[in-house]
């Protein structure tokens, strides 16, 4: 939001090399969301590779506790120029992220699709933790 951005800019003006301090101007919940969004991007890249190969149902969410890197994970990490240790943020420990396992495919529960009204359709459903509604909606309408 604009106020957070302004606080960060003002902090950097007064403390030109204190980037950690600048990040601390942003709420931890928002910073955590940034980290999780990046992990999601990496996970999606891995999922695409596994899907091409017809492999895996459980895919690691890259973080500092990732175990057993394979070629796909190693290639994504190398391409990004990161390591698992980069998810340990000593200066702001609350946003460190261990990673974990996520299923490649989610089960959609309680699906309800309404009628088309003025170029809109109401879709309601439930997903398990770690699943993304945007990806499910995209999959529902992929071939239409």
């Amino acid at each position: 939001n604009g106020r957070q951005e302004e606080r960060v800019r003002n902090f950097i003006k007064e403390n030109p090399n204190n980037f950690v301090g600048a990040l601390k101007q942003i709420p931890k919940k928002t910073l955590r969301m940034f980290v999780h969004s990046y992990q999601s991007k990496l996970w999606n890249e891995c999922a695409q590779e596994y899907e091409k190969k017809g492999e895996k149902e459980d895919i690691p969410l890259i973080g500092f506790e990732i175990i057993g890197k394979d070629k796909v994970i190693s290639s994504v990490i190398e391409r990004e120029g990161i390591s698992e240790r980069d998810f340990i943020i000593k200066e702001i420990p609350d946003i460190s992220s261990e990673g974990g396992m996520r299923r490649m495919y989610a089960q959609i529960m309680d699906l309800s699709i309404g009628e088309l009204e003025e170029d809109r359709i109401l879709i309601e459903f439930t997903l398990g933790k770690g699943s993304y509604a945007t990806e499910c909606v995209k999959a529902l309408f992929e071939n239409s």
Side-chain angles (χ1 to χ4, degrees):
N1 93 24
R3 282 180 272 143
Q4 290 174 4
E5 186 177 339
E6 187 177 336
R7 275 199 313 266
V8 169
R9 286 178 196 260
N10 289 337
F11 187 90
I12 290 289
K13 278 182 193 174
E14 295 172 20
N15 309 277
N17 295 314
N18 187 351
F19 301 110
V20 171
L23 287 174
K24 287 182 176 180
Q25 304 306 301
I26 301 169
K28 286 180 186 164
K29 189 173 184 177
T30 302
L31 290 175
R32 242 183 261 112
M33 184 180 69
F34 292 156
V35 172
H36 293 164
S37 295
Y38 184 57
Q39 285 179 298
S40 176
K41 173 200 178 288
L42 298 175
W43 187 92
N44 287 336
E45 289 178 22
C46 292
Q48 287 174 348
E49 289 299 314
Y50 288 127
E51 193 170 48
K52 284 179 195 172
K53 295 177 178 189
E55 295 179 7
K56 299 237 179 189
E57 288 203 17
D58 290 336
I59 301 173
L61 184 66
I62 298 172
F64 64 79
E65 284 189 355
I66 187 173
I67 298 170
K69 286 192 296 189
D70 60 18
K71 288 181 183 180
V72 170
I73 301 288
S74 295
S75 119
V76 168
I77 286 173
E78 186 176 319
R79 189 170 52 241
E80 288 291 313
I82 62 169
S83 83
E84 302 88 338
R85 306 287 300 163
D86 290 329
F87 289 94
I88 299 174
I89 298 109
K90 293 177 185 161
E91 298 86 350
I92 313 173
D94 289 343
I95 66 169
S96 294
S97 187
E98 66 273 358
M101 297 300 284
R102 297 287 185 269
R103 299 214 43 88
M104 184 183 293
Y105 300 103
Q107 181 177 2
I108 298 173
M109 299 167 283
D110 307 319
L111 176 63
S112 167
I113 301 176
E115 296 295 319
L116 178 64
E117 292 180 22
E118 299 178 27
D119 294 333
R120 294 181 182 184
I121 297 176
L122 177 64
I123 302 170
E124 296 179 285
F125 55 89
T126 304
L127 295 172
K129 181 179 177 186
S131 300
Y132 293 92
T134 51
E135 291 300 314
C136 288
V137 171
K138 188 166 89 175
L140 284 169
F141 293 97
E142 206 165 51
N143 296 320
S144 59

